[in-house]
C-alpha cells in the first residue's frame, strides 16, 4: 500500500517527489490555487488514514478539495455499501446506488478534514445523467465530469460537446473540461499529457476571448512521472510550468476554485470549441514523439520484455535469438 501511495500520490521516484506537493509548490510559485478532486474510495480497502494523508496537506496549504470517485475500488473493498453491485464507472450504477456511493464518499472526505464538497468529478469521467440527479439530490452545486474526449467511452452525460460553456443540467452546474479540436471531429482535452504548451495557451486565450467564466485544465498526481514512474517527465513538468505562467501573466484570467464560480445565468453564453490548426497539431505530435523517446524507452522495453517472456511463442523466439547470438 505504501509504495503505491508514494508512487501514485506523492509522485516519488529516484530524483524526488513530483506529485501533489510538487504540484502545489508550482501553483503557489505563480500565485495560483488548485482544485484537487480526491477519491476517498481507497478507504474501503486500506482504511481512512490514507485519505487523511492526502486531504490534510491540501487543506493546510489553502487549495480546494472536491470529490472524486473511482468505483473500481469496490472490487477490492472489505465492505460494499451497495451489496453485490460493482462497476468501472459511477454511471454503471442505478440512481439509488449512485446516491449511496456519493454520500458515503463525501462523508469519508469530510471525515478526513475536507470542507463539505460542493463539486464532483467521476473517475474516468464515467458519469451519466443519473449522476447529476444524484448530486443535485445530495446538495452538490457543481459537476465537472463532462469531457468531450470521453463521450461514448464512459461519459454519458447528455450535453453538446461542441459547447464548453458552464450550464445547469439536471439541477447542477456542469463545468466541462476545456479543450480544442486537433482534427475536424476530434476533441482534445486540456490535460498536461495531451496538449502541447502552444495548444494550452491557444485554448486558454480562446476561453478568455469568448467570455467563458472558467477554463478547466486537469492533470493527475502521477502525471509528471514517466509511465513506469521511475523518472520525472520533464516535458509534462515544462507544460505545467508554462500553463501556470500563462494564467499568472494574463490579466483577463484569475485563479480560483470551483466553489467560487458564479452560478450560470439563465441564458448562458455558448463557448465554441476552438477549431483545429493542422500545423499546431503536427508540432505537438512531433513533440510527443520526442517526449516518448526521452522518457518512455524503458517502459516500452519492459512491456515488450514481459510480453515476450510470458508468451510460449515469445519464449521460443527468445530462445532462437539466443542461439543465433
Amino acid at each position: 500500500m505504501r509504495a503505491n501511495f508514494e508512487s501514485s500520490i506523492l509522485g516519488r521516484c529516484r530524483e524526488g517527489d513530483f506529485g501533489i506537493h510538487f504540484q502545489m509548490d508550482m501553483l503557489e510559485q505563480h500565485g495560483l490555487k488548485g482544485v484537487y478532486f480526491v477519491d476517498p474510495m481507497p478507504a474501503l480497502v486500506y482504511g481512512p488514514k490514507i485519505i487523511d494523508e492526502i486531504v490534510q496537506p491540501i487543506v493546510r496549504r489553502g487549495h480546494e478539495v472536491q470529490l472524486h470517485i473511482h468505483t473500481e475500488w469496490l472490487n477490492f473493498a472489505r465492505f460494499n455499501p451497495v451489496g453485490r453491485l460493482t462497476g468501472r464507472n459511477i454511471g454503471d450504477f442505478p440512481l439509488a446506488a449512485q446516491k449511496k456511493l456519493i454520500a458515503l464518499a463525501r462523508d469519508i472526505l469530510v471525515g478526513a478534514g475536507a470542507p463539505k464538497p460542493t463539486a464532483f468529478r467521476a473517475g474516468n469521467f464515467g458519469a451519466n445523467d443519473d449522476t447529476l440527479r444524484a448530486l443535485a439530490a445530495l446538495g452538490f452545486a457543481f459537476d465537472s465530469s463532462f469531457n468531450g474526449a470521453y463521450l461514448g467511452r464512459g461519459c454519458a452525460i447528455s450535453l453538446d460537446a461542441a459547447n464548453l460553456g458552464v450550464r445547469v443540467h439536471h439541477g447542477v452546474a456542469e463545468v466541462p473540461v476545456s479543450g480544442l479540436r486537433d482534427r475536424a471531429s476530434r476533441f482534445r482535452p486540456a490535460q498536461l499529457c495531451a496538449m502541447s504548451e502552444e495548444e494550452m495557451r491557444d485554448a486558454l486565450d480562446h476561453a478568455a476571448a469568448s467570455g467563458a467564466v472558467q477554463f478547466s485544465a486537469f492533470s493527475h498526481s502521477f502525471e509528471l512521472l514517466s509511465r513506469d514512474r521511475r523518472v520525472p517527465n520533464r516535458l509534462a513538468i515544462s507544460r505545467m510550468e508554462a500553463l501556470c505562467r500563462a494564467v499568472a501573466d494574463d490579466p483577463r484570467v484569475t485563479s480560483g476554485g470551483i466553489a467560487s464560480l458564479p452560478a450560470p445565468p439563465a441564458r448562458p453564453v455558448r463557448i465554441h470549441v476552438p477549431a483545429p490548426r493542422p500545423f499546431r497539431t503536427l508540432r505537438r505530435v512531433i513533440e510527443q514523439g520526442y517526449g516518448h523517446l526521452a522518457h518512455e524507452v524503458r517502459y516500452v522495453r519492459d512491456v515488450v520484455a514481459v510480453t515476450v517472456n510470458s508468451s510460449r511463442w515469445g519464449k521460443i523466439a527468445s530462445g532462437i535469438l539466443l542461439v543465433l547470438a
Side-chain angles (χ1 to χ4, degrees), residues 67 69 98-108 138 140:
L67 185 62
I69 281 185
Q98 291 198 45
K99 287 174 65 176
K100 184 175 286 189
L101 289 170
I102 293 169
L104 174 64
R106 176 198 59 196
D107 293 346
I108 296 172
L138 293 167
F140 283 78

Side-chain angles (χ1 to χ4, degrees), residues 47-48 50-51 54 72 86 90 133 143 153 183 224 230 245 252 264 277 313:
I50 193 171
I51 309 304
I54 299 171
E72 301 101 315
T86 59
I90 187 71
R133 295 184 181 101
D143 177 70
R153 300 193 300 119
R183 298 177 191 173
L224 302 186
R230 294 186 190 178
R245 192 166 54 248
R252 301 170 298 174
R277 288 170 48 192
W313 289 107

Side-chain angles (χ1 to χ4, degrees), residues 30-42:
H30 292 84
L32 306 181
K33 181 176 183 176
V35 179
Y36 286 80
F37 287 92
V38 177
D39 180 9
M41 300 300 278

Side-chain angles (χ1 to χ4, degrees), residues 103-257:
L104 174 64
R106 176 198 59 196
D107 293 346
I108 296 172
L109 198 64
V110 172
K116 187 176 180 180
T118 57
F120 174 84
R121 174 172 286 164
N124 312 312
F125 300 98
N128 62 8
D129 286 354
D130 274 349
T131 309
L132 305 190
R133 295 184 181 101
L135 292 169
L138 293 167
F140 283 78
F142 300 96
D143 177 70
S144 189
S145 303
F146 189 68
N147 183 338
Y150 282 74
L151 281 178
R153 300 193 300 119
C155 185
I157 297 172
S158 61
L159 285 173
D160 178 11
N163 181 5
L164 295 178
V166 177
R167 61 271 203 202
V168 174
H169 193 56
H170 295 300
V172 296
E174 184 59 43
V175 183
V177 171
S178 301
L180 47 71
R181 296 200 187 281
D182 66 349
R183 298 177 191 173
S185 60
R186 192 170 77 171
F187 180 79
R188 192 130 190 119
Q191 181 179 4
L192 288 181
C193 70
M195 270 194 187
S196 67
E197 293 180 21
E198 179 186 17
E199 288 173 319
M200 196 73 81
R201 285 195 306 269
D202 285 354
L204 177 65
D205 178 72
H206 174 85
S210 301
V213 299
Q214 60 85 32
F215 179 81
S216 178
F218 75 97
S219 182
H220 295 91
S221 50
F222 50 82
E223 201 163 305
L224 302 186
L225 295 179
S226 59
R227 290 190 187 184
D228 61 11
R229 303 191 187 178
R230 294 186 190 178
V231 296
N233 185 325
R234 298 295 175 185
L235 175 60
I237 292 170
S238 70
R239 286 176 174 179
M240 181 173 179
E241 187 169 16
L243 175 60
C244 290
R245 192 166 54 248
V247 172
D249 292 348
D250 193 327
R252 301 170 298 174
V253 181
T254 57
S255 171

Side-chain angles (χ1 to χ4, degrees), residues 14-80:
R14 66 192 181 206
E15 295 185 34
D17 290 359
F18 296 87
I20 60 171
H21 298 287
F22 178 86
Q23 293 163 4
M24 285 190 283
D25 289 343
M26 191 180 294
L27 289 167
E28 290 162 13
Q29 286 167 12
H30 292 84
L32 306 181
K33 181 176 183 176
V35 179
Y36 286 80
F37 287 92
V38 177
D39 180 9
M41 300 300 278
L44 300 180
V45 180
Y46 300 119
K49 186 175 183 296
I50 193 171
I51 309 304
D52 299 352
E53 290 187 54
I54 299 171
V55 167
Q56 291 172 14
I58 300 171
V59 173
R60 276 198 307 269
R61 294 178 66 164
H63 297 279
E64 186 173 299
V65 174
Q66 297 291 1
L67 185 62
H68 189 51
I69 281 185
H70 275 277
T71 52
E72 301 101 315
W73 287 103
L74 292 175
N75 293 316
F76 313 102
R78 290 172 286 184
F79 161 71
N80 186 339

